[in-house]
Amino acid sequence: MRFYAENQLARPAAEYDASLLWSALALTGLGLVMVYSASIATAEASQATGYQAQYYLVRHAVSLAAGLFAGAVAFQIPLNVWQRMAPYLFLLGVGLLVLVLLPGVGREVNGSRRWLAIPLISVQPSEFMKLFVALYAADYTVRKARHLHSLARGFLPMFVVMLLTGALLLAEPDFGAFAVIIVIAMAILFLGGVSWRLFAGLIVLLSIGFVLLIWSSPYRMQRIVGFMDPWSDPFGKGYQLSHALIAFGRGEWFGVGLGASVEKLLYLPEAHTDFLVAVIAEELGFVGVALVIALFAWLTLRAFAIGRAAALEDRPFAALVAQGIGVWLAAQAIINLGVNMGVLPTKGLTLPLMSYGGSSLVTTLVALSILLRVDWENRQLARGRRL
């Protein structure tokens, strides 16, 4: 027993959270496989892809490699440097959101102007803005910690900044990114100690704002109506959701088998992006969807645990960034899963780490690298105290 205890003490402590890393890699690996499976028919049927079945697979793999490289670089940057860069990164994000609205600079797809027209690659600024808002909101909360109970000095400046960001996102329009960014900023303010009265007032104002946005837009109203009863117009406003639900129904417990989906054969639009979960449900069944949910739940729990550890080390910025990233991943995953299952109105929002989309994949991998950096610095501080 004594030898075992001494051996345990002599064993070096882990340098990083292995379960966090492997959960993220499992999601990206499964995403790579499912993007290929879901995109084969679309790629073979499109002249824009050269009728090549591997078109989306290759592009997704390139984005994954770029994201891993960017993540490795991001991990080398200390959190105090990220804190100093946070306001400038946020201004960069605002500048990109403005650029994407300019004719000839922003590229319009399906009525939305969300991408920058850069040769060879397509950049979606709203995806990068999610990370920039998480960093900026954490820095703002730390800097204004003494004034978070004040409407004029603590709450109002952040509200104005988010209002500007929201206006730019809605001009694209990108309602999904707007919702996620608002959730990230609100969660960080709440976790940072903002007055509950101000927070409750913000909830009321946002609720009214969301209702007005939906009410004033016939397009959004149609999506709400289609979401409530997709079978009333299965070939119109309920088309996507009805086919997603058919995919879930066909999958049952264990799925029809990898590659055997019928809905991905040009029936289900955006099968490799927004509705990838429907293909997972059809091919891998309830078990496959449950695995995806469990992995995202574990990522979220680890993010909050790492944030709590940072708070105990008296590192408020690192704590808020870690928990903000956890809220971001959870919120976006919940929205995407809810849309696929018919629990939420149809909205163009990818599943983090899994759906096809280079900007989303790269940004999420950088965010997870920052989360791993927070954990690594926590462990270094704890180790320094033991020595």
Side-chain angles (χ1 to χ4, degrees):
M1 181 66 72
R2 180 181 176 185
F3 172 77
Y4 174 78
E6 290 176 350
N7 197 36
Q8 288 294 103
L9 290 173
R11 182 180 297 173
E15 292 284 342
Y16 62 92
D17 191 325
S19 67
L20 173 68
L21 179 62
W22 285 109
S23 297
L25 291 176
L27 285 169
T28 54
L30 179 60
L32 185 67
V33 173
M34 294 311 304
V35 163
Y36 181 42
S37 176
S39 66
I40 292 175
T42 303
E44 288 181 334
S46 174
Q47 184 179 0
T49 64
Y51 309 108
Q52 298 176 359
Q54 296 81 18
Y55 178 83
Y56 292 107
L57 170 67
V58 172
R59 291 175 69 89
H60 191 73
V62 170
S63 297
L64 177 57
L68 291 172
F69 175 77
V73 173
F75 181 80
Q76 306 302 319
I77 302 175
L79 261 293
N80 59 354
V81 176
W82 282 112
Q83 185 172 6
R84 289 198 298 270
M85 292 194 304
Y88 305 106
L89 290 173
F90 181 77
L91 290 174
L92 172 63
V94 171
L96 292 175
L97 290 179
V98 172
L99 280 178
V100 83
L101 297 174
L102 299 178
V105 179
R107 183 165 62 91
E108 186 172 329
V109 178
N110 296 329
S112 297
R113 191 182 293 273
R114 302 178 186 175
W115 296 267
L116 290 177
I118 298 176
L120 301 179
I121 62 172
S122 182
V123 176
Q124 190 172 356
S126 59
E127 293 295 335
F128 295 100
M129 199 61 180
K130 295 170 187 174
L131 175 60
F132 298 162
V133 164
L135 294 169
Y136 177 75
D139 174 57
Y140 178 89
T141 304
V142 171
R143 286 189 288 109
K144 298 285 187 175
R146 291 179 298 175
H147 307 297
L148 288 179
H149 293 275
S150 167
L151 175 64
R153 300 184 65 183
F155 175 77
L156 200 56
M158 188 65 177
F159 179 76
V160 171
V161 166
M162 288 299 102
L163 200 63
L164 170 64
T165 305
L168 292 172
L169 288 168
L170 291 174
E172 297 183 5
D174 194 344
F175 192 76
F178 169 66
V180 172
I181 283 172
I182 291 298
V183 168
I184 294 169
M186 286 179 56
I188 290 176
L189 284 174
F190 178 75
L191 293 168
V194 71
S195 166
W196 68 268
R197 291 185 179 86
L198 292 176
F199 190 78
L202 178 62
I203 293 291
V204 172
L205 288 174
L206 284 174
S207 300
I208 295 172
F210 275 115
V211 171
L212 290 175
L213 283 171
I214 292 169
W215 188 267
S216 63
S217 171
Y219 168 72
R220 295 191 184 104
M221 278 297 296
Q222 286 179 1
R223 286 202 165 187
I224 294 293
V225 173
F227 145 73
M228 294 175 67
D229 186 10
W231 307 109
S232 64
D233 187 11
F235 298 104
K237 56 180 176 288
Y239 183 80
Q240 284 180 305
L241 180 54
S242 60
H243 279 280
L245 294 176
I246 291 170
F248 271 87
R250 291 193 74 245
E252 298 186 351
W253 285 97
F254 299 102
V256 296
L258 184 63
S261 167
V262 171
E263 286 300 319
K264 70 183 182 184
L265 302 178
L266 305 182
Y267 292 105
L268 179 63
E270 310 297 339
H272 58 299
T273 55
D274 302 343
F275 284 89
L276 184 68
V277 173
V279 179
I280 294 174
E282 187 177 3
E283 295 190 350
L284 305 182
F286 173 83
V287 173
V289 176
L291 174 62
V292 170
I293 293 173
L295 288 171
F296 274 110
W298 183 249
L299 285 182
T300 304
L301 289 172
R302 292 312 306 154
F304 273 83
I306 290 169
R308 176 174 171 76
L312 293 174
E313 295 286 352
D314 195 25
R315 305 174 63 220
F317 174 76
L320 291 173
V321 167
Q323 292 171 347
I325 291 171
V327 169
W328 164 15
L329 294 176
Q332 188 160 334
I334 288 170
I335 293 173
N336 182 273
L337 288 161
V339 166
N340 276 258
M341 296 177 186
V343 180
L344 294 173
T346 303
K347 189 71 220 100
L349 203 62
T350 58
L351 185 64
L353 296 173
M354 299 190 72
S355 294
Y356 176 80
S359 297
S360 174
L361 185 58
V362 170
T363 308
T364 309
L365 289 171
V366 169
L368 286 171
S369 296
I370 295 173
L371 182 59
L372 282 169
R373 176 73 194 198
V374 174
D375 178 61
W376 183 82
E377 290 185 5
N378 289 343
R379 292 169 188 256
Q380 296 303 307
L381 289 171
R383 174 178 294 180
R385 285 198 308 274
R386 289 196 300 265
L387 294 177

